[in-house]
Amino acid sequence: MIVTGSRLRQIGWAAVFIVCLAAFTLLTFRVNAVKADVQHAERNIVQLERTKTLLETEFQTRANQQQLSDWNDVEFGYRAPRANQYLENERQLASLGEPRGVGAPAPIRVAHESAPKESTLIAMVSPLTGESASSEQEELAERPSDLGERLSLVDLLPEAPSLNNPSITAEASE
């Protein structure tokens, strides 16, 4: 069998095409492998930067602790608490207390004023209503402040309709 020239050329072109396709596939795999390596390297860089920041913060914190310790030794003289300084219960705490001495001053007491003082400031007027703030304060002063007085006013309020009232439920169902 003799193969003609055109048939041989077709087989040649098919072989070249297959070789190019194989080279393209291998090159694509190689590019994807390099991209994966680059992404892996970038993740490592980000992780190392975070670790570096963490270590820098730790170093600065420990340096501050050393400085505070030096100040404490020189300036303040504080010491860390020891195990025997902790109390187990309230009775131990109470046993540490001592009664006031004979010449000790009385404890300081703070005065509390229950009634508000009249202000010497100019009354503020609302730009919307034209009423002064003192009229609102007068309304508040007229309201009973004692719980007993407020509860006595509950009887004066009109009764709200009960939900169990059959006339109301009939109207709602219509």
Side-chain angles (χ1 to χ4, degrees), residues 2-117:
I2 300 178
V3 179
T4 60
S6 66
R7 186 82 173 148
L8 192 57
R9 244 181 283 158
Q10 288 178 351
I11 293 174
W13 281 115
V16 168
F17 178 74
I18 290 174
V19 169
C20 288
L21 185 63
F24 175 76
T25 305
L26 290 174
L27 185 62
T28 302
F29 285 141
R30 180 68 181 149
V31 167
N32 287 337
V34 170
K35 280 184 181 180
D37 289 343
V38 168
Q39 287 178 350
H40 181 69
E42 287 176 350
R43 283 191 206 117
N44 284 343
I45 289 170
V46 169
Q47 181 184 8
L48 290 173
E49 286 176 350
R50 287 181 182 165
T51 304
K52 176 186 167 199
T53 304
L54 178 69
L55 290 174
E56 286 176 350
T57 305
E58 181 73 21
F59 179 76
Q60 290 173 353
T61 303
R62 289 181 188 257
N64 287 342
Q65 287 176 346
Q66 182 63 39
Q67 183 180 14
L68 289 173
S69 175
D70 292 342
W71 283 350
N72 185 34
D73 291 341
V74 174
E75 300 285 331
F76 308 119
Y78 295 135
R79 299 281 182 250
R82 297 179 309 275
N84 63 355
Q85 290 179 312
Y86 291 100
L87 302 176
E88 292 185 22
N89 54 29
E90 293 84 13
R91 290 182 187 248
Q92 283 184 342
L93 179 63
S95 69
L96 294 176
E98 298 177 5
R100 271 188 310 177
V102 177
I108 298 174
R109 299 182 189 258
V110 179
H112 177 67
E113 183 178 17
S114 61
K117 288 200 279 185

